[in-house]
């Protein structure tokens, strides 16, 4: 099955490609010649995930899905949340976002945080959402070179390593995105059987 992943984030695409395996041919908009913006204008992950998927569905009419992820810090009342990509300003700068979270959490001892991911799928014009969530602690200083975004400052509960110290395979096993994409795959397998 051919699927478009409505993302401009190469790291996400790499993780998702690993999760989908060979049963699906994964394309990103750039593979189809589209390198423009994919709008995400809402205040919630659900809104943004559906908005991104609808945009790409309208453009190409092929089964497509998107991923909207938020990093939610309890002591910041859930911020940066749906604004994770633009926390430090409209020009998306993951390093500046990470620095700003650390600055806003300076001196704070309650450091529980989570990643939440909503995957929105559109297939034959019908919309479905799948969610994944992982909780852990916000570290005081970044650690590790793998991953992307907020990974260097997030240590999942029960682990000694930050997400950026785990391999893609290890991160995928437990991550917000791993959970949501496994639900997507289960759904697509059933869907394919029912529509043979
Ligand atoms: P697309 O919308 O094109 O998919 P994006 O990077 O804008 O890509 P989001 O709106 O979901 O994606 O971004 C949320 C922000 O959270 C963004 O700054 C990412 O760097 C960060 N982020 C997303 N997933 C992450 C992960 O698994 N680990 C660490 N940071 C992540």
């Amino acid at each position: 099955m051919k699927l478009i992943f409505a993302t401009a984030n190469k790291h996400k695409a790499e993780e998702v490609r690993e999760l989908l395996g060979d049963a699906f041919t994964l394309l990103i908009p750039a593979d189809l010649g589209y390198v423009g913006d994919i709008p995400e204008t809402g205040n919630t992950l659900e809104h943004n995930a559906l908005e991104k998927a609808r945009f790409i569905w309208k453009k190409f009419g092929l089964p497509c899905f998107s991923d909207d992820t938020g990093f939610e810090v309890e002591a910041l009342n859930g911020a940066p949340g749906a604004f994770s990509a633009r926390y430090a300003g409209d020009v998306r700068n993951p390093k500046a976002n990470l620095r700003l979270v650390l600055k806003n959490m300076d001196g704070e001892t309650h450091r529980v945080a989570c990643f939440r991911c909503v995957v929105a799928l559109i297939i034959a014009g019908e919309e479905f959402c799948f969610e994944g969530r992982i909780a852990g602690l916000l570290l005081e200083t970044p650690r590790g070179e793998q991953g992307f975004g907020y990974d260097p400052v997030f240590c999942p509960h029960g682990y000694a390593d930050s997400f950026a110290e785990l391999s893609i395979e290890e991160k995928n096993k437990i991550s917000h995105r791993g959970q949501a994409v496994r639900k997507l795959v289960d759904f697509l397998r059933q869907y394919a059987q029912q529509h043979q």
Side-chain angles (χ1 to χ4, degrees), residues 19-55:
L19 283 159
L20 288 182
D22 297 335
F24 302 92
T25 304
L26 191 71
L27 301 168
I28 56 169
D31 296 329
L32 298 163
Y34 183 75
V35 290
D37 244 18
I38 305 173
E40 46 179 317
T41 60
N43 298 332
T44 66
L45 300 180
E46 290 75 9
H47 176 116
N48 287 340
L50 282 165
E51 189 178 9
K52 290 190 268 193
R54 284 174 188 150
F55 182 83

PDB file of all heavy atoms in Angstrom, residues 19-55:
ATOM      1  N   LEU A  19       9.346   1.972  11.540  1.00  0.00           N
ATOM      2  CA  LEU A  19       8.192   1.334  12.186  1.00  0.00           C
ATOM      3  C   LEU A  19       7.276   0.643  11.185  1.00  0.00           C
ATOM      4  O   LEU A  19       6.665  -0.378  11.490  1.00  0.00           O
ATOM      5  CB  LEU A  19       7.374   2.398  12.944  1.00  0.00           C
ATOM      6  CG  LEU A  19       7.955   2.870  14.274  1.00  0.00           C
ATOM      7  CD1 LEU A  19       7.396   4.227  14.666  1.00  0.00           C
ATOM      8  CD2 LEU A  19       7.655   1.846  15.364  1.00  0.00           C
ATOM      9  N   LEU A  20       7.154   1.198   9.977  1.00  0.00           N
ATOM     10  CA  LEU A  20       6.199   0.642   9.011  1.00  0.00           C
ATOM     11  C   LEU A  20       6.716  -0.618   8.342  1.00  0.00           C
ATOM     12  O   LEU A  20       5.928  -1.468   7.932  1.00  0.00           O
ATOM     13  CB  LEU A  20       5.865   1.680   7.929  1.00  0.00           C
ATOM     14  CG  LEU A  20       4.985   2.848   8.350  1.00  0.00           C
ATOM     15  CD1 LEU A  20       4.708   3.749   7.156  1.00  0.00           C
ATOM     16  CD2 LEU A  20       3.656   2.364   8.934  1.00  0.00           C
ATOM     17  N   GLY A  21       8.019  -0.746   8.216  1.00  0.00           N
ATOM     18  CA  GLY A  21       8.571  -1.932   7.570  1.00  0.00           C
ATOM     19  C   GLY A  21       8.251  -1.965   6.079  1.00  0.00           C
ATOM     20  O   GLY A  21       7.894  -0.943   5.481  1.00  0.00           O
ATOM     21  N   ASP A  22       8.314  -3.170   5.495  1.00  0.00           N
ATOM     22  CA  ASP A  22       8.228  -3.284   4.033  1.00  0.00           C
ATOM     23  C   ASP A  22       6.804  -3.380   3.487  1.00  0.00           C
ATOM     24  O   ASP A  22       6.593  -3.342   2.289  1.00  0.00           O
ATOM     25  CB  ASP A  22       8.995  -4.539   3.569  1.00  0.00           C
ATOM     26  CG  ASP A  22      10.473  -4.417   3.904  1.00  0.00           C
ATOM     27  OD1 ASP A  22      10.943  -3.263   4.026  1.00  0.00           O
ATOM     28  OD2 ASP A  22      11.134  -5.468   4.049  1.00  0.00           O
ATOM     29  N   ALA A  23       5.833  -3.532   4.375  1.00  0.00           N
ATOM     30  CA  ALA A  23       4.460  -3.739   3.897  1.00  0.00           C
ATOM     31  C   ALA A  23       3.878  -2.478   3.256  1.00  0.00           C
ATOM     32  O   ALA A  23       2.867  -2.545   2.553  1.00  0.00           O
ATOM     33  CB  ALA A  23       3.582  -4.191   5.054  1.00  0.00           C
ATOM     34  N   PHE A  24       4.505  -1.329   3.507  1.00  0.00           N
ATOM     35  CA  PHE A  24       3.971  -0.071   2.990  1.00  0.00           C
ATOM     36  C   PHE A  24       5.060   0.681   2.228  1.00  0.00           C
ATOM     37  O   PHE A  24       6.229   0.643   2.614  1.00  0.00           O
ATOM     38  CB  PHE A  24       3.493   0.825   4.134  1.00  0.00           C
ATOM     39  CG  PHE A  24       2.445   0.169   4.989  1.00  0.00           C
ATOM     40  CD1 PHE A  24       2.806  -0.546   6.129  1.00  0.00           C
ATOM     41  CD2 PHE A  24       1.103   0.245   4.654  1.00  0.00           C
ATOM     42  CE1 PHE A  24       1.854  -1.162   6.915  1.00  0.00           C
ATOM     43  CE2 PHE A  24       0.137  -0.375   5.434  1.00  0.00           C
ATOM     44  CZ  PHE A  24       0.520  -1.080   6.561  1.00  0.00           C
ATOM     45  N   THR A  25       4.646   1.358   1.148  1.00  0.00           N
ATOM     46  CA  THR A  25       5.576   2.248   0.463  1.00  0.00           C
ATOM     47  C   THR A  25       5.315   3.647   0.989  1.00  0.00           C
ATOM     48  O   THR A  25       4.235   4.206   0.782  1.00  0.00           O
ATOM     49  CB  THR A  25       5.327   2.228  -1.067  1.00  0.00           C
ATOM     50  OG1 THR A  25       5.417   0.880  -1.484  1.00  0.00           O
ATOM     51  CG2 THR A  25       6.334   3.078  -1.801  1.00  0.00           C
ATOM     52  N   LEU A  26       6.295   4.167   1.713  1.00  0.00           N
ATOM     53  CA  LEU A  26       6.095   5.468   2.348  1.00  0.00           C
ATOM     54  C   LEU A  26       6.669   6.583   1.480  1.00  0.00           C
ATOM     55  O   LEU A  26       7.832   6.543   1.088  1.00  0.00           O
ATOM     56  CB  LEU A  26       6.776   5.485   3.720  1.00  0.00           C
ATOM     57  CG  LEU A  26       6.405   6.682   4.584  1.00  0.00           C
ATOM     58  CD1 LEU A  26       4.960   6.558   5.059  1.00  0.00           C
ATOM     59  CD2 LEU A  26       7.324   6.791   5.793  1.00  0.00           C
ATOM     60  N   LEU A  27       5.821   7.578   1.204  1.00  0.00           N
ATOM     61  CA  LEU A  27       6.279   8.751   0.462  1.00  0.00           C
ATOM     62  C   LEU A  27       6.108   9.967   1.352  1.00  0.00           C
ATOM     63  O   LEU A  27       5.177  10.009   2.167  1.00  0.00           O
ATOM     64  CB  LEU A  27       5.416   8.953  -0.790  1.00  0.00           C
ATOM     65  CG  LEU A  27       5.380   7.802  -1.788  1.00  0.00           C
ATOM     66  CD1 LEU A  27       4.271   8.019  -2.811  1.00  0.00           C
ATOM     67  CD2 LEU A  27       6.731   7.697  -2.487  1.00  0.00           C
ATOM     68  N   ILE A  28       6.991  10.943   1.212  1.00  0.00           N
ATOM     69  CA  ILE A  28       6.748  12.222   1.871  1.00  0.00           C
ATOM     70  C   ILE A  28       6.436  13.237   0.763  1.00  0.00           C
ATOM     71  O   ILE A  28       6.749  12.988  -0.410  1.00  0.00           O
ATOM     72  CB  ILE A  28       7.940  12.665   2.759  1.00  0.00           C
ATOM     73  CG1 ILE A  28       9.239  12.733   1.942  1.00  0.00           C
ATOM     74  CG2 ILE A  28       8.109  11.758   3.958  1.00  0.00           C
ATOM     75  CD1 ILE A  28      10.378  13.403   2.700  1.00  0.00           C
ATOM     76  N   PRO A  29       5.791  14.366   1.102  1.00  0.00           N
ATOM     77  CA  PRO A  29       5.406  15.316   0.054  1.00  0.00           C
ATOM     78  C   PRO A  29       6.572  15.686  -0.867  1.00  0.00           C
ATOM     79  O   PRO A  29       6.389  15.844  -2.078  1.00  0.00           O
ATOM     80  CB  PRO A  29       4.896  16.517   0.848  1.00  0.00           C
ATOM     81  CG  PRO A  29       4.347  15.899   2.101  1.00  0.00           C
ATOM     82  CD  PRO A  29       5.281  14.776   2.424  1.00  0.00           C
ATOM     83  N   ALA A  30       7.774  15.793  -0.308  1.00  0.00           N
ATOM     84  CA  ALA A  30       8.938  16.156  -1.137  1.00  0.00           C
ATOM     85  C   ALA A  30       9.165  15.119  -2.237  1.00  0.00           C
ATOM     86  O   ALA A  30       9.575  15.470  -3.356  1.00  0.00           O
ATOM     87  CB  ALA A  30      10.187  16.274  -0.263  1.00  0.00           C
ATOM     88  N   ASP A  31       8.866  13.842  -1.975  1.00  0.00           N
ATOM     89  CA  ASP A  31       9.018  12.801  -3.007  1.00  0.00           C
ATOM     90  C   ASP A  31       8.065  13.045  -4.172  1.00  0.00           C
ATOM     91  O   ASP A  31       8.282  12.560  -5.281  1.00  0.00           O
ATOM     92  CB  ASP A  31       8.699  11.401  -2.441  1.00  0.00           C
ATOM     93  CG  ASP A  31       9.669  10.991  -1.349  1.00  0.00           C
ATOM     94  OD1 ASP A  31      10.838  11.409  -1.408  1.00  0.00           O
ATOM     95  OD2 ASP A  31       9.246  10.253  -0.430  1.00  0.00           O
ATOM     96  N   LEU A  32       6.956  13.770  -3.904  1.00  0.00           N
ATOM     97  CA  LEU A  32       5.956  14.042  -4.944  1.00  0.00           C
ATOM     98  C   LEU A  32       6.106  15.460  -5.474  1.00  0.00           C
ATOM     99  O   LEU A  32       5.212  16.001  -6.118  1.00  0.00           O
ATOM    100  CB  LEU A  32       4.550  13.830  -4.371  1.00  0.00           C
ATOM    101  CG  LEU A  32       4.278  12.398  -3.890  1.00  0.00           C
ATOM    102  CD1 LEU A  32       3.080  12.333  -2.975  1.00  0.00           C
ATOM    103  CD2 LEU A  32       4.077  11.481  -5.089  1.00  0.00           C
ATOM    104  N   GLY A  33       7.222  16.098  -5.126  1.00  0.00           N
ATOM    105  CA  GLY A  33       7.529  17.424  -5.670  1.00  0.00           C
ATOM    106  C   GLY A  33       6.984  18.571  -4.854  1.00  0.00           C
ATOM    107  O   GLY A  33       7.091  19.731  -5.258  1.00  0.00           O
ATOM    108  N   TYR A  34       6.367  18.281  -3.679  1.00  0.00           N
ATOM    109  CA  TYR A  34       5.847  19.375  -2.867  1.00  0.00           C
ATOM    110  C   TYR A  34       6.778  19.674  -1.697  1.00  0.00           C
ATOM    111  O   TYR A  34       6.946  18.830  -0.809  1.00  0.00           O
ATOM    112  CB  TYR A  34       4.431  19.065  -2.342  1.00  0.00           C
ATOM    113  CG  TYR A  34       3.880  20.233  -1.558  1.00  0.00           C
ATOM    114  CD1 TYR A  34       3.422  21.373  -2.217  1.00  0.00           C
ATOM    115  CD2 TYR A  34       3.886  20.236  -0.166  1.00  0.00           C
ATOM    116  CE1 TYR A  34       2.972  22.479  -1.514  1.00  0.00           C
ATOM    117  CE2 TYR A  34       3.434  21.335   0.552  1.00  0.00           C
ATOM    118  CZ  TYR A  34       2.981  22.450  -0.132  1.00  0.00           C
ATOM    119  OH  TYR A  34       2.548  23.553   0.568  1.00  0.00           O
ATOM    120  N   VAL A  35       7.375  20.862  -1.705  1.00  0.00           N
ATOM    121  CA  VAL A  35       8.292  21.205  -0.611  1.00  0.00           C
ATOM    122  C   VAL A  35       7.820  22.454   0.137  1.00  0.00           C
ATOM    123  O   VAL A  35       8.545  23.012   0.944  1.00  0.00           O
ATOM    124  CB  VAL A  35       9.751  21.412  -1.113  1.00  0.00           C
ATOM    125  CG1 VAL A  35      10.362  20.103  -1.538  1.00  0.00           C
ATOM    126  CG2 VAL A  35       9.803  22.438  -2.231  1.00  0.00           C
ATOM    127  N   GLY A  36       6.568  22.870  -0.139  1.00  0.00           N
ATOM    128  CA  GLY A  36       6.023  24.064   0.533  1.00  0.00           C
ATOM    129  C   GLY A  36       5.599  23.732   1.956  1.00  0.00           C
ATOM    130  O   GLY A  36       5.790  22.621   2.450  1.00  0.00           O
ATOM    131  N   ASP A  37       4.995  24.730   2.579  1.00  0.00           N
ATOM    132  CA  ASP A  37       4.530  24.581   3.961  1.00  0.00           C
ATOM    133  C   ASP A  37       3.326  23.647   4.044  1.00  0.00           C
ATOM    134  O   ASP A  37       2.513  23.588   3.129  1.00  0.00           O
ATOM    135  CB  ASP A  37       4.077  25.967   4.458  1.00  0.00           C
ATOM    136  CG  ASP A  37       4.950  26.432   5.590  1.00  0.00           C
ATOM    137  OD1 ASP A  37       6.060  25.876   5.733  1.00  0.00           O
ATOM    138  OD2 ASP A  37       4.509  27.350   6.315  1.00  0.00           O
ATOM    139  N   ILE A  38       3.198  22.954   5.142  1.00  0.00           N
ATOM    140  CA  ILE A  38       1.978  22.202   5.430  1.00  0.00           C
ATOM    141  C   ILE A  38       1.362  22.895   6.642  1.00  0.00           C
ATOM    142  O   ILE A  38       1.951  22.873   7.731  1.00  0.00           O
ATOM    143  CB  ILE A  38       2.284  20.715   5.756  1.00  0.00           C
ATOM    144  CG1 ILE A  38       3.083  20.086   4.607  1.00  0.00           C
ATOM    145  CG2 ILE A  38       0.997  19.946   6.002  1.00  0.00           C
ATOM    146  CD1 ILE A  38       3.582  18.674   4.896  1.00  0.00           C
ATOM    147  N   PRO A  39       0.226  23.573   6.452  1.00  0.00           N
ATOM    148  CA  PRO A  39      -0.282  24.417   7.536  1.00  0.00           C
ATOM    149  C   PRO A  39      -0.655  23.645   8.795  1.00  0.00           C
ATOM    150  O   PRO A  39      -1.174  22.529   8.722  1.00  0.00           O
ATOM    151  CB  PRO A  39      -1.534  25.074   6.934  1.00  0.00           C
ATOM    152  CG  PRO A  39      -1.788  24.411   5.649  1.00  0.00           C
ATOM    153  CD  PRO A  39      -0.602  23.606   5.258  1.00  0.00           C
ATOM    154  N   GLU A  40      -0.347  24.237   9.945  1.00  0.00           N
ATOM    155  CA  GLU A  40      -0.824  23.738  11.248  1.00  0.00           C
ATOM    156  C   GLU A  40      -1.080  24.969  12.096  1.00  0.00           C
ATOM    157  O   GLU A  40      -0.158  25.618  12.563  1.00  0.00           O
ATOM    158  CB  GLU A  40       0.153  22.758  11.899  1.00  0.00           C
ATOM    159  CG  GLU A  40       1.602  23.148  11.900  1.00  0.00           C
ATOM    160  CD  GLU A  40       2.494  22.105  12.594  1.00  0.00           C
ATOM    161  OE1 GLU A  40       2.123  21.595  13.648  1.00  0.00           O
ATOM    162  OE2 GLU A  40       3.580  21.843  12.051  1.00  0.00           O
ATOM    163  N   THR A  41      -2.367  25.317  12.237  1.00  0.00           N
ATOM    164  CA  THR A  41      -2.713  26.614  12.817  1.00  0.00           C
ATOM    165  C   THR A  41      -3.507  26.502  14.116  1.00  0.00           C
ATOM    166  O   THR A  41      -3.926  27.513  14.667  1.00  0.00           O
ATOM    167  CB  THR A  41      -3.556  27.425  11.806  1.00  0.00           C
ATOM    168  OG1 THR A  41      -4.746  26.671  11.516  1.00  0.00           O
ATOM    169  CG2 THR A  41      -2.798  27.677  10.511  1.00  0.00           C
ATOM    170  N   GLY A  42      -3.720  25.268  14.602  1.00  0.00           N
ATOM    171  CA  GLY A  42      -4.616  25.094  15.754  1.00  0.00           C
ATOM    172  C   GLY A  42      -3.904  25.127  17.091  1.00  0.00           C
ATOM    173  O   GLY A  42      -2.676  25.266  17.176  1.00  0.00           O
ATOM    174  N   ASN A  43      -4.707  24.971  18.156  1.00  0.00           N
ATOM    175  CA  ASN A  43      -4.182  24.974  19.528  1.00  0.00           C
ATOM    176  C   ASN A  43      -4.069  23.576  20.096  1.00  0.00           C
ATOM    177  O   ASN A  43      -3.685  23.419  21.254  1.00  0.00           O
ATOM    178  CB  ASN A  43      -5.129  25.748  20.461  1.00  0.00           C
ATOM    179  CG  ASN A  43      -5.250  27.178  20.037  1.00  0.00           C
ATOM    180  OD1 ASN A  43      -4.328  27.719  19.446  1.00  0.00           O
ATOM    181  ND2 ASN A  43      -6.387  27.777  20.318  1.00  0.00           N
ATOM    182  N   THR A  44      -4.480  22.572  19.328  1.00  0.00           N
ATOM    183  CA  THR A  44      -4.417  21.203  19.854  1.00  0.00           C
ATOM    184  C   THR A  44      -3.712  20.300  18.848  1.00  0.00           C
ATOM    185  O   THR A  44      -3.694  20.577  17.638  1.00  0.00           O
ATOM    186  CB  THR A  44      -5.825  20.614  20.107  1.00  0.00           C
ATOM    187  OG1 THR A  44      -6.486  20.470  18.846  1.00  0.00           O
ATOM    188  CG2 THR A  44      -6.650  21.480  21.044  1.00  0.00           C
ATOM    189  N   LEU A  45      -3.153  19.206  19.379  1.00  0.00           N
ATOM    190  CA  LEU A  45      -2.466  18.246  18.510  1.00  0.00           C
ATOM    191  C   LEU A  45      -3.459  17.632  17.525  1.00  0.00           C
ATOM    192  O   LEU A  45      -3.138  17.432  16.340  1.00  0.00           O
ATOM    193  CB  LEU A  45      -1.821  17.136  19.349  1.00  0.00           C
ATOM    194  CG  LEU A  45      -0.777  17.563  20.383  1.00  0.00           C
ATOM    195  CD1 LEU A  45      -0.232  16.345  21.123  1.00  0.00           C
ATOM    196  CD2 LEU A  45       0.367  18.331  19.728  1.00  0.00           C
ATOM    197  N   GLU A  46      -4.668  17.332  18.009  1.00  0.00           N
ATOM    198  CA  GLU A  46      -5.679  16.694  17.159  1.00  0.00           C
ATOM    199  C   GLU A  46      -6.008  17.599  15.973  1.00  0.00           C
ATOM    200  O   GLU A  46      -6.048  17.150  14.825  1.00  0.00           O
ATOM    201  CB  GLU A  46      -6.966  16.416  17.967  1.00  0.00           C
ATOM    202  CG  GLU A  46      -6.848  15.340  19.011  1.00  0.00           C
ATOM    203  CD  GLU A  46      -6.064  15.758  20.280  1.00  0.00           C
ATOM    204  OE1 GLU A  46      -5.733  16.956  20.442  1.00  0.00           O
ATOM    205  OE2 GLU A  46      -5.774  14.862  21.101  1.00  0.00           O
ATOM    206  N   HIS A  47      -6.252  18.888  16.275  1.00  0.00           N
ATOM    207  CA  HIS A  47      -6.579  19.855  15.222  1.00  0.00           C
ATOM    208  C   HIS A  47      -5.451  19.898  14.182  1.00  0.00           C
ATOM    209  O   HIS A  47      -5.682  19.804  12.978  1.00  0.00           O
ATOM    210  CB  HIS A  47      -6.786  21.240  15.843  1.00  0.00           C
ATOM    211  CG  HIS A  47      -7.041  22.321  14.824  1.00  0.00           C
ATOM    212  ND1 HIS A  47      -8.220  23.022  14.757  1.00  0.00           N
ATOM    213  CD2 HIS A  47      -6.274  22.809  13.804  1.00  0.00           C
ATOM    214  CE1 HIS A  47      -8.157  23.883  13.748  1.00  0.00           C
ATOM    215  NE2 HIS A  47      -6.981  23.785  13.167  1.00  0.00           N
ATOM    216  N   ASN A  48      -4.225  20.042  14.679  1.00  0.00           N
ATOM    217  CA  ASN A  48      -3.089  20.194  13.754  1.00  0.00           C
ATOM    218  C   ASN A  48      -2.831  18.934  12.943  1.00  0.00           C
ATOM    219  O   ASN A  48      -2.516  19.004  11.750  1.00  0.00           O
ATOM    220  CB  ASN A  48      -1.825  20.584  14.532  1.00  0.00           C
ATOM    221  CG  ASN A  48      -1.893  22.027  15.009  1.00  0.00           C
ATOM    222  OD1 ASN A  48      -2.656  22.828  14.471  1.00  0.00           O
ATOM    223  ND2 ASN A  48      -1.122  22.352  16.018  1.00  0.00           N
ATOM    224  N   ALA A  49      -2.972  17.772  13.591  1.00  0.00           N
ATOM    225  CA  ALA A  49      -2.735  16.520  12.858  1.00  0.00           C
ATOM    226  C   ALA A  49      -3.755  16.397  11.722  1.00  0.00           C
ATOM    227  O   ALA A  49      -3.399  16.082  10.575  1.00  0.00           O
ATOM    228  CB  ALA A  49      -2.826  15.328  13.808  1.00  0.00           C
ATOM    229  N   LEU A  50      -5.030  16.671  12.033  1.00  0.00           N
ATOM    230  CA  LEU A  50      -6.064  16.563  10.987  1.00  0.00           C
ATOM    231  C   LEU A  50      -5.851  17.613   9.898  1.00  0.00           C
ATOM    232  O   LEU A  50      -6.011  17.325   8.710  1.00  0.00           O
ATOM    233  CB  LEU A  50      -7.462  16.714  11.611  1.00  0.00           C
ATOM    234  CG  LEU A  50      -7.957  15.450  12.311  1.00  0.00           C
ATOM    235  CD1 LEU A  50      -9.154  15.747  13.206  1.00  0.00           C
ATOM    236  CD2 LEU A  50      -8.318  14.352  11.295  1.00  0.00           C
ATOM    237  N   GLU A  51      -5.446  18.815  10.297  1.00  0.00           N
ATOM    238  CA  GLU A  51      -5.227  19.885   9.321  1.00  0.00           C
ATOM    239  C   GLU A  51      -4.119  19.495   8.329  1.00  0.00           C
ATOM    240  O   GLU A  51      -4.250  19.676   7.110  1.00  0.00           O
ATOM    241  CB  GLU A  51      -4.856  21.172  10.065  1.00  0.00           C
ATOM    242  CG  GLU A  51      -4.818  22.403   9.183  1.00  0.00           C
ATOM    243  CD  GLU A  51      -4.495  23.675   9.975  1.00  0.00           C
ATOM    244  OE1 GLU A  51      -4.132  23.599  11.172  1.00  0.00           O
ATOM    245  OE2 GLU A  51      -4.593  24.755   9.358  1.00  0.00           O
ATOM    246  N   LYS A  52      -3.037  18.927   8.850  1.00  0.00           N
ATOM    247  CA  LYS A  52      -1.916  18.532   7.970  1.00  0.00           C
ATOM    248  C   LYS A  52      -2.340  17.400   7.031  1.00  0.00           C
ATOM    249  O   LYS A  52      -2.041  17.419   5.837  1.00  0.00           O
ATOM    250  CB  LYS A  52      -0.702  18.094   8.815  1.00  0.00           C
ATOM    251  CG  LYS A  52      -0.025  19.243   9.553  1.00  0.00           C
ATOM    252  CD  LYS A  52       1.301  18.829  10.191  1.00  0.00           C
ATOM    253  CE  LYS A  52       1.191  18.356  11.594  1.00  0.00           C
ATOM    254  NZ  LYS A  52       2.483  18.247  12.300  1.00  0.00           N
ATOM    255  N   ALA A  53      -3.053  16.421   7.585  1.00  0.00           N
ATOM    256  CA  ALA A  53      -3.469  15.282   6.748  1.00  0.00           C
ATOM    257  C   ALA A  53      -4.465  15.741   5.674  1.00  0.00           C
ATOM    258  O   ALA A  53      -4.373  15.316   4.510  1.00  0.00           O
ATOM    259  CB  ALA A  53      -4.069  14.182   7.616  1.00  0.00           C
ATOM    260  N   ARG A  54      -5.412  16.619   6.055  1.00  0.00           N
ATOM    261  CA  ARG A  54      -6.416  17.090   5.075  1.00  0.00           C
ATOM    262  C   ARG A  54      -5.753  17.859   3.941  1.00  0.00           C
ATOM    263  O   ARG A  54      -6.144  17.737   2.782  1.00  0.00           O
ATOM    264  CB  ARG A  54      -7.443  17.998   5.773  1.00  0.00           C
ATOM    265  CG  ARG A  54      -8.434  17.219   6.606  1.00  0.00           C
ATOM    266  CD  ARG A  54      -9.342  18.167   7.383  1.00  0.00           C
ATOM    267  NE  ARG A  54     -10.157  17.417   8.331  1.00  0.00           N
ATOM    268  CZ  ARG A  54     -10.586  17.912   9.491  1.00  0.00           C
ATOM    269  NH1 ARG A  54     -10.288  19.156   9.835  1.00  0.00           N
ATOM    270  NH2 ARG A  54     -11.318  17.175  10.303  1.00  0.00           N
ATOM    271  N   PHE A  55      -4.751  18.652   4.281  1.00  0.00           N
ATOM    272  CA  PHE A  55      -4.045  19.459   3.278  1.00  0.00           C
ATOM    273  C   PHE A  55      -3.419  18.547   2.213  1.00  0.00           C
ATOM    274  O   PHE A  55      -3.540  18.777   1.015  1.00  0.00           O
ATOM    275  CB  PHE A  55      -2.968  20.296   3.985  1.00  0.00           C
ATOM    276  CG  PHE A  55      -2.196  21.204   3.076  1.00  0.00           C
ATOM    277  CD1 PHE A  55      -2.709  22.449   2.715  1.00  0.00           C
ATOM    278  CD2 PHE A  55      -0.957  20.829   2.591  1.00  0.00           C
ATOM    279  CE1 PHE A  55      -1.993  23.298   1.877  1.00  0.00           C
ATOM    280  CE2 PHE A  55      -0.232  21.662   1.747  1.00  0.00           C
ATOM    281  CZ  PHE A  55      -0.751  22.899   1.392  1.00  0.00           C
TER     282      PHE A  55
END
